[in-house]
Amino acid sequence: MAEDCLAVKLGFGAMKEQTKGSRGLLEEPIPAATSPGLSSLGAVFILLKSALGAGLLNFPWAFHKAGGVAPAFLVELVSLVFLISGLVILGYAASVSGQTTYQGVVGGLCGPTIGKLCEACFIVNLLMISVAFLRVIGDQLQKLCDFLLPGAPPAPQPWYVDQRFTLTLLSALVILPLSIPREIGFQKYTSPSSWTSVFSVFPTICFGFQCHEAAISVYCSMRHQSLTHWALVSVLSLLACCLVYSLTGAYGFLTFGTEVSADILMSYPGNDMVIVVARVFFAISIVTVYPIVLFLGRSVMQDFWRRSCCQVRGRRRLADPSGPRPRMLLTVVWVAVTLALALALPDLSEIVGIIGGTSSSFILTFPGLCLLCAINTEPMGPRVKCGLEIWGVASVLLGTFIFGQSTAAAIVELT
């Protein structure tokens, strides 16, 4: 059961296939004999757990960039409307398409070209999330080394406490071995977020609230799959997430003010024992989550490999992408690329800007496209259809704007 819940959380599509075809906007739940058994409380918990993560560390800095608690909280509330609507749209799109994965729904409704674009964005998003995880781990390692080996500020630190060495060593000895296995069921044993300034909050919100990639699999696994029930689950999970992020952002900003770091833990002194314990547990949590994100990205690349490259060429057939050698190659390349980017990018805020841009595609752009395509497959009144079309277009435009604005801002900051 633990493996099933993990698969649901990560959006692998490990659940039973749904019946093809449309089931309508407000259809009653499917019979219990044929439906999966995830409870509503379990669905809320999985969405909440999917959203809460490294983005939590960045919210106090986002409150500072927005100009204070009030404007940041206002932007968060407005964003919450689109975040919830994105989840509801994805549930509706899953019921119409009969698919059980995010990529499957987008490809089934919007066509293979948009489906491939979705897969490419999926890989980029997961890659940058992995970079953010390594950046957070590296920051905590640096503070822990300063605590364990204190010295006078002018004295140079030994080479073996340099972040480039410690993070590379941790990646090679711990993260890489955890990421190589074909399955990730073993992970259950290792488990222990001016107007220009206001707009800068959106990437952090998209990064922190992103649970939409897992939403379709969660919806397909629920015992009650009516759209109204799914909307209630979406509202409850994101409201709880909003409460946690708002309290963290407000407390961190009010505590450190304009001196708050992009990683809130870096704002605290390195010799505080409570903070040291928090660093250790948070680093352990991120280390165990990194292989799961890698598994998701690797599975998408393996699917692409199967479709594009695994074909007979003369008498020789290319290697199966799920075999040990291709899997090892993809894993090593993934870890090496993310490690290089984590060491090259100077601050978590630049990474969040890039992730926020790609995340907006999964929260707004792709759901908007799915809505525009799905409403043409079902009979509905002209006013309802017009309203849904307007909302779909607004979602696509807003997602495109956030992607362009946040990505351009991140590039400008890097240069």
Side-chain angles (χ1 to χ4, degrees):
M1 196 63 194
E3 292 91 343
D4 293 338
C5 290
L6 183 61
V8 168
K9 176 195 172 218
L10 296 171
F12 292 133
M15 288 64 61
K16 297 179 181 177
E17 289 289 334
Q18 289 179 282
T19 303
K20 302 289 182 182
S22 171
R23 295 207 310 265
L25 280 174
L26 299 175
E27 186 190 19
E28 294 299 318
I30 57 180
T34 60
S35 64
L38 182 65
S39 66
S40 302
L41 183 61
V44 171
F45 174 77
I46 290 171
L47 287 178
L48 182 61
K49 189 176 180 182
S50 299
L52 292 176
L56 193 67
L57 302 177
N58 194 243
F59 256 75
W61 178 83
F63 273 51
H64 158 58
K65 293 290 289 183
V69 175
F73 188 63
L74 180 61
V75 173
E76 196 174 2
L77 288 179
V78 173
S79 302
L80 202 60
V81 176
F82 288 92
L83 293 166
I84 293 174
S85 74
L87 289 178
V88 176
I89 290 171
L90 289 173
Y92 170 53
S95 69
V96 171
S97 66
Q99 300 293 324
T100 57
T101 63
Y102 196 108
Q103 306 97 297
V105 168
V106 174
L109 289 175
C110 305
T113 301
I114 302 297
K116 291 179 181 178
L117 177 62
C118 178
E119 289 183 347
C121 293
F122 206 85
I123 293 175
V124 173
N125 192 49
L126 293 173
L127 190 75
M128 296 310 300
I129 289 175
S130 300
V131 174
F133 284 167
L134 290 181
R135 181 73 263 174
V136 170
I137 294 171
D139 290 342
Q140 308 318 315
L141 286 175
Q142 179 181 339
K143 284 288 188 177
L144 289 174
C145 289
D146 293 341
F147 172 75
L148 296 175
L149 299 170
Q157 289 281 8
W159 61 269
Y160 51 83
V161 300
D162 187 277
Q163 186 178 125
R164 290 170 294 183
F165 175 77
T166 56
L167 187 57
T168 302
L169 188 66
L170 181 70
S171 299
L173 299 183
V174 179
I175 294 177
L176 182 60
L178 287 175
S179 304
I180 289 176
R182 181 175 182 176
E183 304 294 338
I184 61 169
F186 73 95
Q187 284 287 338
K188 63 183 179 180
Y189 302 109
T190 61
S191 295
S193 221
S194 69
W195 280 106
T196 305
S197 299
V198 171
F199 283 137
S200 66
V201 183
F202 281 110
T204 300
I205 292 176
C206 292
F207 175 46
F209 282 88
Q210 62 172 348
C211 57
H212 294 63
E213 294 94 329
I216 290 175
S217 293
V218 175
Y219 172 80
C220 294
S221 70
M222 288 177 57
R223 188 179 300 121
H224 304 291
Q225 292 187 14
S226 65
L227 195 64
T228 52
H229 195 79
W230 171 244
L232 179 62
V233 168
S234 302
V235 169
L236 291 177
S237 58
L238 289 186
L239 282 179
C241 190
C242 180
L243 177 63
V244 174
Y245 278 132
S246 297
L247 291 176
T248 304
Y251 181 83
F253 173 72
L254 294 176
T255 301
F256 298 103
T258 58
E259 302 299 322
V260 66
S261 300
D263 179 348
I264 184 61
L265 288 179
M266 299 298 289
S267 299
Y268 287 92
N271 56 358
D272 189 329
M273 184 55 65
V274 175
I275 300 300
V276 169
V277 174
R279 294 186 200 280
V280 171
F281 279 103
F282 199 87
I284 293 174
S285 175
I286 296 298
V287 166
T288 58
V289 171
Y290 180 99
I292 299 175
V293 176
L294 187 150
F295 182 92
L296 275 171
R298 189 177 65 198
S299 64
V300 176
M301 290 190 292
Q302 287 173 331
D303 290 340
F304 180 79
W305 188 331
R306 288 189 186 93
R307 292 196 309 269
S308 304
C309 300
C310 285
Q311 54 186 343
V312 177
R313 294 184 177 179
R315 295 184 178 180
R316 186 176 180 181
R317 185 179 178 85
L318 295 180
D320 181 5
S322 60
R325 289 185 179 180
R327 187 175 70 249
M328 181 71 176
L329 174 62
L330 292 175
T331 303
V332 171
V333 170
W334 187 283
V335 174
V337 170
T338 55
L339 176 61
L341 290 174
L343 294 175
L345 295 174
D347 193 80
L348 182 64
S349 60
E350 282 80 7
I351 305 174
V352 170
I354 300 173
I355 299 175
T358 55
S359 297
S360 67
S361 301
F362 296 101
I363 294 173
L364 296 167
T365 307
F366 288 123
L369 291 173
C370 288
L371 179 61
L372 293 174
C373 295
I375 58 179
N376 293 321
T377 64
E378 288 199 330
M380 60 182 64
R383 292 184 178 180
V384 174
K385 185 174 182 179
C386 181
L388 293 177
E389 286 177 343
I390 293 174
W391 189 260
V393 171
S395 297
V396 172
L397 292 178
L398 182 60
T400 304
F401 169 77
I402 294 176
F403 173 79
Q405 186 270 339
S406 60
T407 304
I411 293 175
V412 169
E413 290 186 11
L414 286 174
T415 54

